[in-house]
Amino acid sequence: MTATAPASAPESPKAAADERLLRTSPLKRLLGRPELGSMVGALAVFVFFSIVADSFLRASSLSTVLYAASTIGIMAVPVALLMIGGEFDLSAGVMVTSSALVSSMFSFQMTADVWVGAGVSLLVTLAIGAFNGFVLTRTKLPSFIVTLGTFLMLTGVNLGLTKLISGTVSTKSISDMDGFSSAQTLFASTLTVGGVQFKVTILWWFALVALASWILLRTRAGNWIFAVGGNKDAARAVGVPVERTTIGLYMGVALGAWISGQHLLFSYDVVQSGEGVGNELIYIIAAVIGGCLITGGYGSAIGSAVGALLFGMTSKGIVFAEWNPDWFKFFLGAMLLLATLLNAWVRKRAEATT
């Protein structure tokens, strides 16, 4: 007598298919993009000012908008990466000024080529970023406390050292020193394309957006950033170097501060020691408008660029429309709130369709 094994039930196609290999529709992919909400907002703001401000669509006006956006965007990109990693930096604004002050005062006091001052400034600025990351990872204190402390220290050092060395609240002119013209070309020159003048900071901005997007989407470090921002303990459990990634992100913010600081210095020749206070909030706002979550683990470099563009269009659009600029902060706050609500709605729609 032979026993016959029961026939196994046929495996359903859905069970057989690996869900990781299933194709996602273009609509689902679009809804899942962090920058979608900010892009919709940017389009609305562009159309709005195109209607209410006759000069907004002029090539020279758009160049001005891009320049205003680039001065914010250069810092918004590394700040966005840091926020994706689950942290933020309240010292970013005054760090820009610190970078410019170190370059200017070192070059002037040492009668050195301005490139030497710029190099020293790069090392000092990166050291400040590394300090923020090191203290944060070692003490486990919230980034709010650590970077607020750095913000206050840099604010005091900027003013105190400048008055001690220069005797005033601003640095001395370095326009006649060796290397100034070449440094100005790199950090603060004006390019003419088709009869329209564009600031070189726009190229710096685009390059940083491209680099940051490549890091986030095409490298192992990008996976680490998302993992650290999503859940540090889980990331550490699977071998992600959490501390090293966090310190690297803070040094990335410092690099952006150095680029912005050199632009500040070589654009105006002198630096006011009290500048930069409050700009850190603008960088964070640009990143949040662009889709970054305060809680970390979500966002994109392109989104931060769109957020900076929104800032540029609003700040200059109000001027072109000949409105009272006192209302600018109101529009900025309204954009932040609306963009955050729109981003939350887009995320819910994306999760519902997956």
Side-chain angles (χ1 to χ4, degrees):
M1 181 174 180
T2 61
T4 304
S8 59
E11 188 175 4
S12 65
K14 289 185 178 180
D18 190 336
E19 63 178 4
R20 294 172 297 177
L21 302 179
L22 295 177
R23 292 186 177 181
T24 305
S25 68
L27 178 60
K28 289 182 179 180
R29 290 198 298 268
L30 179 63
L31 289 175
R33 293 302 305 167
E35 63 273 7
L36 177 60
S38 60
M39 286 183 173
V40 173
L43 179 60
V45 171
F46 179 82
V47 172
F48 175 74
F49 282 114
S50 298
I51 295 173
V52 302
D54 296 334
S55 60
F56 186 75
L57 292 179
R58 294 175 185 172
S60 58
S61 299
L62 295 178
S63 172
T64 303
V65 168
L66 285 175
Y67 173 61
S70 68
T71 57
I72 301 301
I74 288 175
M75 284 300 294
V77 171
V79 166
L81 264 63
L82 180 63
M83 291 181 66
I84 295 172
E87 308 293 347
F88 57 95
D89 192 346
L90 293 179
S91 66
V94 292
M95 199 188 306
V96 171
T97 306
S98 299
S99 170
L101 289 172
V102 171
S103 291
S104 178
M105 289 192 290
F106 187 89
S107 299
F108 185 85
Q109 296 298 321
M110 300 299 176
T111 61
D113 190 296
V114 297
W115 283 107
V116 176
V120 172
S121 173
L122 176 60
L123 295 177
V124 171
T125 310
L126 290 177
I128 295 172
F131 171 81
N132 279 337
F134 180 81
V135 172
L136 181 75
T137 56
R138 293 297 179 182
T139 64
K140 310 301 181 183
L141 289 172
S143 56
F144 174 85
I145 298 298
V146 173
T147 59
L148 178 60
T150 308
F151 162 80
L152 294 173
M153 288 189 292
L154 289 180
T155 302
V157 167
N158 289 350
L159 180 59
L161 277 183
T162 304
K163 292 183 71 174
L164 179 65
I165 295 175
S166 302
T168 64
V169 296
S170 64
T171 60
K172 305 295 184 182
S173 173
I174 61 170
S175 60
D176 58 346
M177 300 189 67
D178 293 339
F180 183 87
S181 59
S182 59
Q184 188 178 50
T185 299
L186 181 61
F187 293 108
S189 60
T190 301
L191 309 174
T192 302
V193 180
V196 181
Q197 294 184 332
F198 294 91
K199 288 289 188 179
V200 73
T201 49
I202 299 173
L203 297 181
W204 277 104
W205 179 34
F206 289 168
L208 288 175
V209 171
L211 176 62
S213 298
W214 175 75
I215 291 174
L216 283 176
L217 303 177
R218 293 289 183 267
T219 69
R220 182 171 56 178
N223 293 331
W224 291 348
I225 294 171
F226 281 109
V228 170
N231 189 313
K232 285 184 173 60
D233 293 332
R236 189 178 289 108
V238 296
V240 173
V242 175
E243 288 76 14
R244 192 171 67 187
T245 300
T246 302
I247 293 173
L249 289 172
Y250 275 103
M251 293 181 71
V253 174
L255 177 61
W258 177 75
I259 295 172
S260 295
Q262 304 317 294
H263 169 68
L264 177 65
L265 171 61
F266 294 110
S267 291
Y268 302 104
D269 180 25
V270 297
V271 182
Q272 297 292 328
S273 58
E275 292 185 13
V277 177
N279 286 348
E280 62 282 344
L281 296 180
I282 296 177
Y283 307 146
I284 294 173
I285 288 171
V288 172
I289 289 176
C292 292
L293 296 181
I294 296 293
T295 53
Y298 189 80
S300 72
I302 295 176
S304 72
V306 179
L309 182 60
L310 267 166
F311 178 92
M313 287 193 295
T314 304
S315 62
K316 299 305 177 183
I318 289 175
V319 175
F320 296 142
E322 299 181 354
W323 294 349
N324 188 342
D326 294 339
W327 287 92
F328 168 66
K329 291 294 179 65
F330 170 81
F331 285 102
L332 188 62
M335 281 195 309
L336 173 63
L337 182 59
L338 291 175
T340 303
L341 292 173
L342 182 57
N343 288 335
W345 178 82
V346 168
R347 286 196 69 205
K348 289 181 180 178
R349 292 284 298 177
E351 292 171 356
T353 55
T354 55

